[in-house]
Amino acid sequence: MAGDKVVLLDTHVSAFGMRVRIALAEKGIEHEYKEENLADKSPLLLEMNRVHKKIPVLIHNGKPVCESLIIVQYIDEVWHDKNPLLPSDPYQRAQARFWADFVDKKLYDAGWRLWATKGEEQEAAKKELIGTVKTLEAELGDKTYFGGEDFGYVDVALIPFYNWFYTYETCGNFKIECPKLVEWAKRCMQRETVSKSLADPHKIYEFVVSLKKKFGIE
Amino acid sequence: MAKEDVLLLDFWVSPFCSRVKIALAEKGVAYQQRGEDIFGGKSELFLKSNPIYQKVPVLLHDGKPMCESTNIVQYIDETWPSPPLLPSSAYDRARARFWADFIDKKLFDAGGNIWKTKGEDQAAAKKELIQILKYLEGGLGDKDYFGGDSFGFVDIIAIPLTNWFFAYEKFGNFKVEEECPKFAAWTKRCLGRESVAKTLPDPQQVFEFVSMMRKMHGIE
């Protein structure tokens, strides 16, 4: 869209930020990327997201949109003529929203507790994560992508977390057995929009290690 | 559309189920309702329709199940477009979804912390609830409803949760109206709508339910 000014406030390792980067790339949207230091948030971030003060924030012609899944839906609706991410059928859309929300409610939460805790709490998080991954594999089934033949909303919601698996595994000292997701992830990574948007798993792990040191975890 | 096409699996006091009922009423959609015993034996249909969370509400349309109340309300809006609940512009829809998400993440849990605790913990929980309501007042601004002149999506997401405020106020010994008059005025406005007034249970009954829950949790 000519004359559009699009800015993304983000941090490189954020899985939530990666979702937005993928969506912007899928639609071919030119934008300015601003890396935030979460230990010293910019006045712009604090103004654009007064309620949560979190990234990612998409600023479209000066107006902010917050919360990664809401941003992805917004991008899909505004730039609707290219690479649709959500299905057109209301029931399929409801299913897509449900599974993206499941990733937020279950995977993110268990994953965070996996690297930030120890002992019994960490073991419980490990168990939950394994269960969540199994559920996602069952939902994927034999489909190419979560929505069927085409890369879409749920894939965008989940693939950034796949790059966090290495961190979860290393912090939790275990292996996440998910052969179906591994194959699905390979397919996603073949898309340049995905491979160029994701942070390297080792960089993510280094970030978490420094965060743990900073907060005196372990 | 025949009544049997739309079935709601429900629990009478659930504000999340109320959201769905209000949305269906606003659209004039006829539906069947089945109360689930969420404390006792859950029905086979319920377990089959929501195996992941095993929670109400579940909406079955032509036998196809949908879960998570905010998700269901959006489905209702897309399937029966008139009158529209979500705004027409993409930006306004993003703002509406933002407030719905904020309410989902914060409001019910904050209220729960008030009736589940005592002393200092309860005081902190009250403070949090008021802060949340003040944010919502900011989102409302000088408008009659969150979306503007018309009752809509965010109002539907929020209003059933206020049905539990009487219980929070009694256990927490405070009044929402004194702390957040704008929010209280919006609440009264919504309660004046037939779809809301006919759907929401009597706050006194909600209070009695919460009292029972407190006993179950061993509080007091």
Side-chain angles (χ1 to χ4, degrees), chain A residues 55 62 88 93 107 112 150 187 203 209-210:
Chain A
I55 57 91
S88 48
R93 289 160 75 83
L107 188 60
W112 166 84
D150 298 317
R187 285 193 288 277
K203 278 224 163 73
V209 166
S210 70

Side-chain angles (χ1 to χ4, degrees), chain B residues 77-97:
Chain B
D77 197 38
E78 290 173 12
T79 303
W80 294 278
S82 183
L85 299 175
L86 272 156
S88 49
S89 90
Y91 186 75
D92 289 338
R93 273 202 295 280
R95 290 306 288 165
R97 286 180 183 129

Side-chain angles (χ1 to χ4, degrees), chain A residues 51-52 63-67 70 73-74 77-78 90-91 93-95 97-99 101-102 105-106 135, chain B residues 52-53 64-68 71 74-75 78-79 90-91 93-95 97-99 101-102 105 135:
Chain A
V51 175
H52 298 302
K63 297 198 289 191
V65 185
C66 309
E67 295 300 298
I70 293 173
Q73 286 181 76
Y74 174 78
E77 288 177 13
V78 174
Y91 183 71
R93 289 160 75 83
Q95 293 302 100
R97 284 189 190 118
F98 175 85
W99 285 105
D101 178 65
F102 176 82
K105 279 194 168 85
K106 296 284 186 179
T135 303
Chain B
I52 291 184
Y53 297 121
K64 296 189 288 190
M66 266 154 295
C67 312
E68 298 297 290
N71 194 17
Q74 287 189 82
Y75 172 81
E78 290 173 12
T79 303
Y91 186 75
R93 273 202 295 280
R95 290 306 288 165
R97 286 180 183 129
F98 174 84
W99 286 115
D101 177 70
F102 175 76
K105 282 188 167 97
Y135 272 127

Side-chain angles (χ1 to χ4, degrees), chain A residues 39-58:
Chain A
D40 183 20
K41 291 174 182 176
S42 74
L44 181 64
L45 173 59
L46 297 175
E47 195 205 317
M48 290 286 127
N49 192 354
R50 282 180 217 169
V51 175
H52 298 302
K53 304 176 177 59
K54 286 182 177 179
I55 57 91
V57 180
L58 189 81

Side-chain angles (χ1 to χ4, degrees), chain B residues 102-103 105-115 121-137 158 161-177 179-180 183:
Chain B
F102 175 76
I103 290 161
K105 282 188 167 97
K106 304 269 183 182
L107 193 50
F108 195 64
D109 283 349
N113 288 338
I114 293 174
W115 65 259
D121 287 339
Q122 195 187 60
K126 260 192 284 183
K127 211 173 162 191
E128 209 200 327
L129 184 81
I130 299 302
Q131 179 56 65
I132 290 164
L133 297 183
K134 287 219 184 298
Y135 272 127
L136 289 175
E137 284 189 326
L161 296 173
T162 69
N163 194 222
W164 283 53
F165 282 12
F166 176 67
Y168 305 155
E169 286 168 334
K170 282 204 102 165
F171 287 118
N173 193 28
F174 71 111
K175 277 226 161 284
V176 168
E177 190 161 16
E179 309 273 354
C180 307
F183 190 83

